[in-house]
PDB file of all heavy atoms in Angstrom:
ATOM      1  N   TYR A  68      25.280  33.216  12.701  1.00  0.00           N
ATOM      2  CA  TYR A  68      25.834  32.396  11.644  1.00  0.00           C
ATOM      3  C   TYR A  68      24.784  31.635  10.906  1.00  0.00           C
ATOM      4  O   TYR A  68      24.772  31.528   9.686  1.00  0.00           O
ATOM      5  CB  TYR A  68      26.899  31.546  11.984  1.00  0.00           C
ATOM      6  CG  TYR A  68      28.379  32.332  12.243  1.00  0.00           C
ATOM      7  CD1 TYR A  68      28.946  32.084  13.520  1.00  0.00           C
ATOM      8  CD2 TYR A  68      28.855  33.036  11.254  1.00  0.00           C
ATOM      9  CE1 TYR A  68      30.164  32.632  13.742  1.00  0.00           C
ATOM     10  CE2 TYR A  68      30.154  33.603  11.490  1.00  0.00           C
ATOM     11  CZ  TYR A  68      30.735  33.547  12.695  1.00  0.00           C
ATOM     12  OH  TYR A  68      31.987  34.192  12.907  1.00  0.00           O
ATOM     13  N   GLY A  69      23.962  30.896  11.733  1.00  0.00           N
ATOM     14  CA  GLY A  69      22.928  29.997  11.130  1.00  0.00           C
ATOM     15  C   GLY A  69      22.017  30.913  10.288  1.00  0.00           C
ATOM     16  O   GLY A  69      21.398  30.514   9.263  1.00  0.00           O
ATOM     17  N   LEU A  70      21.579  31.997  10.895  1.00  0.00           N
ATOM     18  CA  LEU A  70      20.654  32.854  10.098  1.00  0.00           C
ATOM     19  C   LEU A  70      21.236  33.315   8.750  1.00  0.00           C
ATOM     20  O   LEU A  70      20.493  33.435   7.784  1.00  0.00           O
ATOM     21  CB  LEU A  70      20.288  34.015  11.064  1.00  0.00           C
ATOM     22  CG  LEU A  70      19.197  35.070  10.578  1.00  0.00           C
ATOM     23  CD1 LEU A  70      17.889  34.301  10.287  1.00  0.00           C
ATOM     24  CD2 LEU A  70      19.030  36.145  11.394  1.00  0.00           C
ATOM     25  N   MET A  71      22.481  33.650   8.824  1.00  0.00           N
ATOM     26  CA  MET A  71      23.168  34.042   7.539  1.00  0.00           C
ATOM     27  C   MET A  71      23.213  33.024   6.592  1.00  0.00           C
ATOM     28  O   MET A  71      22.894  33.173   5.330  1.00  0.00           O
ATOM     29  CB  MET A  71      24.514  34.640   7.869  1.00  0.00           C
ATOM     30  CG  MET A  71      24.633  35.969   8.508  1.00  0.00           C
ATOM     31  SD  MET A  71      26.157  36.624   8.736  1.00  0.00           S
ATOM     32  CE  MET A  71      26.966  35.678   9.877  1.00  0.00           C
ATOM     33  N   PHE A  72      23.442  31.764   7.061  1.00  0.00           N
ATOM     34  CA  PHE A  72      23.335  30.563   6.128  1.00  0.00           C
ATOM     35  C   PHE A  72      21.999  30.351   5.533  1.00  0.00           C
ATOM     36  O   PHE A  72      21.796  30.014   4.405  1.00  0.00           O
ATOM     37  CB  PHE A  72      23.880  29.341   6.883  1.00  0.00           C
ATOM     38  CG  PHE A  72      25.577  29.197   6.981  1.00  0.00           C
ATOM     39  CD1 PHE A  72      26.079  29.174   8.167  1.00  0.00           C
ATOM     40  CD2 PHE A  72      26.163  29.159   5.814  1.00  0.00           C
ATOM     41  CE1 PHE A  72      27.366  28.952   8.278  1.00  0.00           C
ATOM     42  CE2 PHE A  72      27.716  29.193   5.970  1.00  0.00           C
ATOM     43  CZ  PHE A  72      28.198  29.079   7.121  1.00  0.00           C
ATOM     44  N   PHE A  73      21.053  30.446   6.440  1.00  0.00           N
ATOM     45  CA  PHE A  73      19.746  30.293   5.922  1.00  0.00           C
ATOM     46  C   PHE A  73      19.211  31.238   4.906  1.00  0.00           C
ATOM     47  O   PHE A  73      18.705  30.954   3.950  1.00  0.00           O
ATOM     48  CB  PHE A  73      18.663  30.404   7.213  1.00  0.00           C
ATOM     49  CG  PHE A  73      17.254  29.953   6.926  1.00  0.00           C
ATOM     50  CD1 PHE A  73      16.949  28.689   6.425  1.00  0.00           C
ATOM     51  CD2 PHE A  73      16.309  30.941   7.074  1.00  0.00           C
ATOM     52  CE1 PHE A  73      15.687  28.330   6.212  1.00  0.00           C
ATOM     53  CE2 PHE A  73      14.974  30.615   6.728  1.00  0.00           C
ATOM     54  CZ  PHE A  73      14.662  29.278   6.338  1.00  0.00           C
ATOM     55  N   THR A  74      19.659  32.525   5.204  1.00  0.00           N
ATOM     56  CA  THR A  74      19.272  33.715   4.282  1.00  0.00           C
ATOM     57  C   THR A  74      20.019  33.299   2.977  1.00  0.00           C
ATOM     58  O   THR A  74      19.540  33.470   1.903  1.00  0.00           O
ATOM     59  CB  THR A  74      19.668  34.961   4.818  1.00  0.00           C
ATOM     60  OG1 THR A  74      19.023  35.203   6.022  1.00  0.00           O
ATOM     61  CG2 THR A  74      19.522  36.135   3.875  1.00  0.00           C
ATOM     62  N   LEU A  75      21.333  32.982   2.959  1.00  0.00           N
ATOM     63  CA  LEU A  75      22.032  32.769   1.740  1.00  0.00           C
ATOM     64  C   LEU A  75      21.505  31.510   1.094  1.00  0.00           C
ATOM     65  O   LEU A  75      21.348  31.511  -0.285  1.00  0.00           O
ATOM     66  CB  LEU A  75      23.572  32.623   2.053  1.00  0.00           C
ATOM     67  CG  LEU A  75      24.310  33.824   2.510  1.00  0.00           C
ATOM     68  CD1 LEU A  75      25.762  33.471   2.979  1.00  0.00           C
ATOM     69  CD2 LEU A  75      24.271  34.764   1.391  1.00  0.00           C
ATOM     70  N   SER A  76      21.178  30.498   1.685  1.00  0.00           N
ATOM     71  CA  SER A  76      20.509  29.274   1.028  1.00  0.00           C
ATOM     72  C   SER A  76      19.297  29.593   0.432  1.00  0.00           C
ATOM     73  O   SER A  76      19.078  29.060  -0.690  1.00  0.00           O
ATOM     74  CB  SER A  76      20.439  28.192   2.106  1.00  0.00           C
ATOM     75  OG  SER A  76      19.477  28.412   3.069  1.00  0.00           O
ATOM     76  N   LEU A  77      18.486  30.559   0.925  1.00  0.00           N
ATOM     77  CA  LEU A  77      17.275  30.841   0.262  1.00  0.00           C
ATOM     78  C   LEU A  77      17.545  31.765  -0.936  1.00  0.00           C
ATOM     79  O   LEU A  77      16.846  31.696  -1.903  1.00  0.00           O
ATOM     80  CB  LEU A  77      16.290  31.614   1.268  1.00  0.00           C
ATOM     81  CG  LEU A  77      15.652  30.747   2.393  1.00  0.00           C
ATOM     82  CD1 LEU A  77      14.807  31.667   3.292  1.00  0.00           C
ATOM     83  CD2 LEU A  77      14.804  29.725   1.745  1.00  0.00           C
ATOM     84  N   HIS A  78      18.470  32.660  -0.680  1.00  0.00           N
ATOM     85  CA  HIS A  78      18.784  33.649  -1.820  1.00  0.00           C
ATOM     86  C   HIS A  78      19.359  32.812  -3.018  1.00  0.00           C
ATOM     87  O   HIS A  78      18.977  33.061  -4.188  1.00  0.00           O
ATOM     88  CB  HIS A  78      19.854  34.588  -1.388  1.00  0.00           C
ATOM     89  CG  HIS A  78      20.415  35.563  -2.296  1.00  0.00           C
ATOM     90  ND1 HIS A  78      19.563  36.550  -2.942  1.00  0.00           N
ATOM     91  CD2 HIS A  78      21.455  35.673  -3.127  1.00  0.00           C
ATOM     92  CE1 HIS A  78      20.113  37.196  -3.833  1.00  0.00           C
ATOM     93  NE2 HIS A  78      21.380  36.614  -4.067  1.00  0.00           N
TER      94      HIS A  78
END
Side-chain angles (χ1 to χ4, degrees):
Y68 281 124
L70 184 62
M71 289 189 290
F72 280 122
F73 188 65
T74 302
L75 290 172
S76 67
L77 290 174
H78 177 75

